[in-house]
Amino acid sequence: MIIDLPSTTTSQINSRLVRLRDEGGATTLGRVLTLVIVTEDGQRTDAAIDAANDASREHPCRVIVVARGARQAAPRLDAQIRVGGDAGASEVVVLRLYGELAKEGASCVMPLLLPDTPVVAWWPFEAPVSPSKDPIGQLAQRRITDAAAEKNPIKALETRRAHYAPGDTDLAWTRLTVWRAMLAASLDLPPYEKVTEAEVTGEADSPSTDLLAAWLTDRLKVPVKRFKATSGEGIVQVRLNRPGGEVDLHRPDGRVGTLAQPGQPSRSVALQRRSVRDCLAEELRRLDPDEVYAGALKSLSKVAKGRVPSAKPEEAPAEAAAEPANGKAARKAKAKAGS
Amino acid sequence: MTTSAKWRNPLRDPRDKRMPRIAGPSALVIFGVTGDLSRKKLMPAIYDLANRGLLPPGFGLVGFARRDWADQDFMKVVHDAVKEHARTPFNEAVWQQLAEGIRFVQGTFDDDEAFDSLASCLAALDAERGTGGNHAFYLSIPPSAFPTVVNQLKRAGLAQAKGDQWRRVVIEKPFGHDLKSAKELNRTVNEVFPEESVFRIDHYLGKETVQNILALRFANQLYEPIWNSNYVDHVQITMAEDIGLGGRAGYYDGIGATRDVIQNHLLQLLALIAMEEPVSFKPADLRAEKVKILSATRPAEPFEETTARGQYTGGWQGGQKVPGLLEEGGFSPESKTETFGAITCEVNTRRWAGVPFYLRTGKRLGRRVTEVAVVFKRAPHLPFDDTATEELGQNALVVRVQPDEGVTIRFGSKVPGNTMEVRDVTMDFGYGHSFTESSPEAYERLLLDVLLGEPSLFPKNDEVELSWEILDPVLEFWARKDEPALEKYKAGTWGPPSADAMTARTGRHWRRP
């Protein structure tokens, strides 16, 4: 059900929400959080709402969309309430703010927050320079940004580092979880040796690749090189060098990866790129500050950028495919020579 | 080189709560792979785990059955089962990765050759897929076949792990049919697999709502002060099913509802509701408390008044004509098997002295529901007119285990109007409203725990034996005295009259769930 409330106020919205609950049963009971989506009014707004609705199947919430419209118009608040089939397991309130009001989103959001439950703010596209100082950001315990969706992703990540406050998080980090889990699991197996150096290869403008490299530097305390990939999407390859042989996780096509490590046959790993709704659902699962992310951000500057894409990442998988038996030994020898 | 015990993985950090627990390299062998459970629950659960990225990259799944299948045929069966029953959407890339590790071994349980080829199949998986010699054996087979299979596993050298490897065996209920047979079964299994590598599946314990009982009780301040005999009047634990027993005669005839359900599911629920706070949530500490509470639990006597049993007759249920038990195929027309069983337990601890725990289960009851209801005493003094509180019942806290998982609190509230009138209302917490529609299936959680070697959700042999010690006196009494009589009840009702009589004798009554 979609209810339009043109040129309205938040108290009218609130009383409409209460009436809807009375009429439609307990639709708003049991919500665990309020998710505030901040975006410019436009076509992309609906894509963000859809992602939030999907995520709400895991975390029923009240979604407040702050869509900032034309600044030159007369100040006005148009609202739209979506419940039931149009809103997943959530209830969505879209606030379209025009004129001077466009800058005063926080004042419109405040009366609509659910009592005594966490508030999460999400900027699906362009985010403020310092989310924690933004008026809406200040209402929220947790502030989600998405560096990859900004015009200059690498620069956006740099801004995140400069303005990090506990409670900040970025979907570029969320997209890494599967990679990080796979790499951590690979180090659970013998040989139990220290990693001596690591290399991460990915698209030039992939902030996740940068973050992965930074996380590895932070955790492993070794030099990590970041290379630009000539082909592939997002993160393409990670190699962890150890005296006893290297761990090599390679995803050439953005879908299926190959994991090779000493003492284990090389295996394919499903590593499909994660959708925004998946990432958002993961973000909403944790509402406490992510200290590991903070650590990774801090280490961004320690990552050495490789100018030329390394020859090795291209070569190694081809070799493995051609000669699975000898490939491992050959790589092992090379790793030894390198260390 | 460091050893596994000393190795600290630098990429793991307890603060890193996003990082999922992925099972280590391993293979799962399912015996009885053609059964319903395997198709509807196990295979979909394995796929769902893979889809959530929780299985190791080189996971192996081996089916063992009599059918004359090739790997491809088995793969097709798994594929269809996954497509039909999996919780998460079908993803071709995930399936391909999983399918690479699917194998099938054909044979019967007494066939030495078949187990030898199972051994070589697993050895091949270790080499090709890197399953690392870590094997879990899921025995989805009748208990009578356990001795044969575990001994075959031993003979083929599959039960013995070398070095860092592990071997685990997963078994399902029934864990025997009385104390003696349970001990025998435990002995048989333990002769080959040490107790720490035996995982007894009680799928109820994998349910989020059941685990939530621990959170509800031990994470909140609100309930603990009233969680004792000062405030609690009695506790009702119900597991009702609306289905009959058509087609299950072979398993059920002679076993009955009490052995089938009360011994495992209901007594485990009782333990979770009644136990003291564990020192920590480590498996050993949790188990210590469960064992303690089960060893303090006794069936209340006299049994002819505190227990009830019944058998359903045909009739109309939910718009369908259904047969009675005696008309169901496979059951003897003189069958004395009970399809409804109810017992009263007393828990002899300071916390619970004098609080009866009523446990009931049955087939073809009013509807499918499992719940635990903690019913509180009436307020000692009501400063209202008698007429004001006529409609006020006892306060109750109900944990709804399934379906519609959640918690309900029932309390009195003023009826709007100009007179003071108090009536029962309920306050609902729905898991599906506050959390996920897509919470993992019980089997997903349990299978992952088996692969991770995390035993807290699996009852151990002493818990099983203690449950039989509670139940055996009732079963013996029923067999010896034939009292209370095995009464008939109509399909679609809430059991025989003796069930109501057993609570009515102390002025209580069953909740209608």
Side-chain angles (χ1 to χ4, degrees), chain B residues 238-490:
Chain B
T238 303
M239 176 176 158
E241 284 174 289
D242 53 7
I243 51 167
L245 286 158
R248 290 190 60 205
Y251 165 68
Y252 207 86
D253 206 6
I255 292 288
T258 314
R259 286 188 176 94
D260 185 39
V261 173
I262 296 187
Q263 181 270 329
N264 37 61
H265 306 318
L266 297 197
L267 283 173
Q268 283 287 332
L269 284 175
L270 179 146
L272 293 174
I273 285 287
M275 72 185 204
E276 295 298 317
E277 184 175 83
V279 179
S280 80
F281 274 79
K282 289 201 189 93
D285 293 330
L286 201 60
R287 194 175 138 213
E289 293 304 331
K290 273 163 65 184
V291 165
K292 216 168 93 189
I293 207 76
L294 286 174
S295 57
T297 305
R298 291 276 162 276
E301 296 191 61
F303 294 142
E304 54 268 47
E305 289 177 16
T306 61
T307 67
R309 53 191 180 136
Q311 197 179 62
Y312 64 83
T313 61
W316 287 90
Q317 185 193 28
Q320 275 182 325
K321 190 150 175 61
V322 298
L325 181 81
L326 302 183
E327 294 105 68
E328 301 267 23
F331 282 92
S332 127
E334 278 99 53
S335 175
K336 298 285 276 171
T337 304
E338 89 276 3
T339 61
F340 178 97
I343 65 169
T344 311
C345 288
E346 52 193 37
V347 180
N348 297 316
T349 61
R350 183 172 182 140
R351 186 190 284 267
W352 294 116
V355 178
F357 284 72
Y358 298 113
L359 278 51
R360 65 170 164 173
T361 180
K363 304 276 177 191
R364 286 258 184 255
L365 296 183
R367 68 189 192 95
R368 172 176 167 263
V369 63
T370 303
E371 62 167 41
V372 181
V374 179
V375 181
F376 293 92
K377 292 184 172 161
R378 278 177 192 282
H381 170 69
L382 292 168
F384 304 100
D385 298 336
D386 286 349
T387 52
T389 53
E390 261 175 352
E391 288 176 76
L392 176 64
Q394 283 164 285
N395 296 161
L397 185 141
V398 183
V399 178
R400 305 192 304 269
V401 176
Q402 73 171 16
D404 187 24
E405 293 86 346
V407 181
T408 300
I409 294 181
R410 187 176 66 172
F411 58 100
S413 170
K414 180 181 176 301
V415 181
N418 54 4
T419 55
M420 182 46 113
E421 203 184 323
V422 184
R423 185 187 290 173
D424 283 336
V425 293
T426 59
M427 196 156 71
D428 263 343
F429 155 69
Y431 242 83
H433 300 159
S434 293
F435 299 103
T436 145
E437 253 174 46
S438 49
S439 68
E441 269 278 335
Y443 277 99
E444 264 175 86
R445 170 73 199 264
L446 295 174
L447 280 176
L448 182 62
D449 279 2
V450 168
L451 298 177
L452 288 167
E454 162 55 59
S456 35
L457 296 178
F458 300 86
K460 287 286 164 190
N461 50 9
D462 45 357
E463 289 172 59
V464 172
E465 287 169 17
L466 280 168
S467 317
W468 283 118
E469 275 175 38
I470 297 168
L471 215 50
D472 267 0
V474 177
L475 296 170
E476 272 163 32
F477 184 85
W478 284 353
R480 199 174 64 238
K481 299 264 286 211
D482 202 24
E483 247 187 303
L486 182 71
E487 288 178 307
K488 305 282 181 188
Y489 62 95
K490 245 180 80 179

Side-chain angles (χ1 to χ4, degrees), chain A residues 197-219:
Chain A
E197 60 174 344
E199 293 175 11
V200 182
T201 310
E203 269 184 298
D205 63 349
S206 151
S208 296
T209 309
D210 281 23
L211 265 177
L212 182 58
W215 174 66
L216 288 171
T217 328
D218 184 45
R219 300 302 310 171

Side-chain angles (χ1 to χ4, degrees), chain B residues 105-305:
Chain B
V105 176
Q106 191 247 334
T108 52
F109 298 151
D110 48 14
D111 180 359
D112 286 4
E113 223 168 277
F115 278 82
D116 290 339
S117 61
L118 176 64
S120 52
C121 170
L122 285 171
L125 269 180
D126 286 346
E128 291 162 26
R129 303 270 296 163
T131 45
N134 302 320
H135 307 142
F137 302 98
Y138 197 116
L139 307 189
S140 184
I141 52 174
S144 53
F146 282 7
T148 328
V149 172
V150 292
N151 285 316
Q152 281 283 15
L153 289 174
K154 186 180 176 187
R155 191 198 54 78
L158 287 168
Q160 193 54 45
K162 295 178 204 77
D164 269 355
Q165 305 174 344
W166 52 256
R167 301 291 152 86
R168 294 177 189 138
V169 63
V170 186
I171 57 180
E172 285 174 9
K173 70 164 193 186
F175 311 123
H177 52 86
D178 58 13
L179 180 60
K180 191 165 152 269
S181 59
K183 279 190 166 157
E184 211 171 285
L185 181 74
N186 284 338
R187 200 163 45 239
T188 312
V189 176
N190 287 149
E191 264 168 20
V192 179
F193 292 95
E195 183 57 22
E196 65 270 15
S197 61
V198 182
F199 289 74
R200 291 176 187 79
I201 291 248
D202 183 337
H203 68 272
Y204 263 69
L205 298 184
K207 286 188 180 292
E208 289 289 338
T209 27
V210 173
Q211 295 163 43
N212 187 42
I213 293 176
L214 298 177
L216 183 92
R217 290 196 52 203
F218 302 124
N220 293 304
Q221 175 76 331
L222 195 55
Y223 306 109
E224 177 57 25
I226 54 169
W227 212 256
N228 54 50
S229 61
N230 294 335
Y231 297 94
V232 175
D233 182 65
H234 68 280
V235 177
Q236 303 183 2
I237 305 179
T238 303
M239 176 176 158
E241 284 174 289
D242 53 7
I243 51 167
L245 286 158
R248 290 190 60 205
Y251 165 68
Y252 207 86
D253 206 6
I255 292 288
T258 314
R259 286 188 176 94
D260 185 39
V261 173
I262 296 187
Q263 181 270 329
N264 37 61
H265 306 318
L266 297 197
L267 283 173
Q268 283 287 332
L269 284 175
L270 179 146
L272 293 174
I273 285 287
M275 72 185 204
E276 295 298 317
E277 184 175 83
V279 179
S280 80
F281 274 79
K282 289 201 189 93
D285 293 330
L286 201 60
R287 194 175 138 213
E289 293 304 331
K290 273 163 65 184
V291 165
K292 216 168 93 189
I293 207 76
L294 286 174
S295 57
T297 305
R298 291 276 162 276
E301 296 191 61
F303 294 142
E304 54 268 47
E305 289 177 16

Side-chain angles (χ1 to χ4, degrees), chain A residues 60 180 184 187-188 288 290, chain B residues 7 9 12 16-18 433:
Chain A
R180 295 193 302 120
L187 291 193
D188 280 338
D288 50 338
D290 190 336
Chain B
W7 171 247
N9 186 341
R12 295 219 183 265
D16 198 345
K17 298 185 206 155
R18 289 168 194 267
H433 300 159

Side-chain angles (χ1 to χ4, degrees), chain A residues 9-336:
Chain A
T9 62
T10 50
S11 54
Q12 281 173 353
I13 300 171
N14 251 333
S15 60
R16 191 60 192 257
L17 283 170
V18 173
R19 212 165 82 210
L20 274 175
R21 179 196 297 186
D22 282 348
E23 287 166 1
T27 51
T28 48
L29 293 178
R31 304 271 173 256
V32 289
L33 56 92
T34 310
L35 175 67
V36 185
I37 304 179
V38 189
T39 155
E40 296 298 316
D41 195 13
Q43 286 173 339
R44 296 196 298 180
T45 311
D46 264 322
I49 297 176
D50 286 345
N53 285 346
D54 282 333
S56 76
R57 296 196 190 285
E58 190 164 326
H59 309 275
C61 49
R62 171 175 286 180
V63 180
I64 303 174
V65 183
V66 180
R68 294 173 295 205
R71 308 288 197 279
Q72 305 88 330
R76 194 178 67 170
L77 165 62
D78 283 354
Q80 192 179 60
I81 301 175
R82 305 183 188 182
V83 289
D86 296 301
S90 60
E91 52 183 10
V92 180
V93 183
V94 184
L95 305 174
R96 291 197 164 79
L97 309 175
Y98 301 98
E100 277 174 62
L101 200 54
K103 282 183 291 187
E104 298 297 326
S107 72
C108 297
V109 168
M110 179 79 89
L112 296 173
L113 299 176
L114 292 175
D116 214 13
T117 48
V119 178
V120 179
W122 175 34
W123 290 268
F125 310 109
E126 305 295 322
V129 171
S130 173
S132 60
K133 298 216 173 78
D134 179 86
I136 292 182
Q138 282 181 332
L139 294 175
Q141 273 93 333
R142 197 148 170 106
R143 296 164 294 273
I144 307 172
T145 52
D146 188 355
E150 301 219 14
K151 283 195 199 81
N152 184 341
I154 302 296
K155 201 170 143 230
L157 196 61
E158 196 47 46
T159 320
R160 303 281 183 273
R161 188 192 64 78
H163 296 273
Y164 175 83
D168 285 4
T169 179
D170 197 285
L171 295 189
W173 172 246
T174 325
R175 292 190 184 97
L176 283 181
T177 306
V178 192
W179 284 81
R180 295 193 302 120
M182 205 50 78
L183 291 170
S186 72
L187 291 193
D188 280 338
L189 301 176
Y192 304 107
E193 290 175 331
K194 275 219 167 94
V195 175
T196 51
E197 60 174 344
E199 293 175 11
V200 182
T201 310
E203 269 184 298
D205 63 349
S206 151
S208 296
T209 309
D210 281 23
L211 265 177
L212 182 58
W215 174 66
L216 288 171
T217 328
D218 184 45
R219 300 302 310 171
L220 300 172
K221 317 279 183 227
V222 296
V224 177
K225 280 197 188 125
R226 197 266 201 226
F227 293 107
K228 285 176 187 158
T230 44
S231 65
E233 301 169 44
I235 309 166
V236 177
Q237 188 168 33
V238 182
R239 293 144 65 98
L240 308 178
N241 287 327
R242 292 183 293 183
E246 67 175 8
V247 175
D248 178 1
L249 186 54
H250 185 220
R251 181 184 70 173
D253 60 354
R255 286 176 56 246
V256 182
T258 314
L259 175 67
Q261 64 185 110
Q264 300 279 333
S266 117
R267 288 159 310 194
S268 61
V269 190
L271 272 178
Q272 65 273 30
R273 306 191 74 185
R274 300 178 76 188
S275 61
V276 170
R277 47 167 287 195
D278 261 10
C279 294
L280 189 63
E282 178 182 316
E283 279 308 326
L284 297 182
R285 229 167 278 159
R286 309 259 171 248
L287 297 169
D288 50 338
D290 190 336
E291 294 157 44
V292 181
Y293 168 63
L297 270 186
K298 237 184 258 157
S299 301
L300 268 176
S301 55
K302 293 185 205 147
V303 175
K305 300 249 170 171
R307 288 258 156 226
V308 193
S310 105
K312 278 194 282 178
E314 299 303 321
E315 188 186 304
E319 186 184 291
E323 267 183 87
N326 297 339
K328 208 195 299 165
R331 274 205 307 283
K332 212 184 262 181
K334 201 183 292 170
K336 271 202 187 116

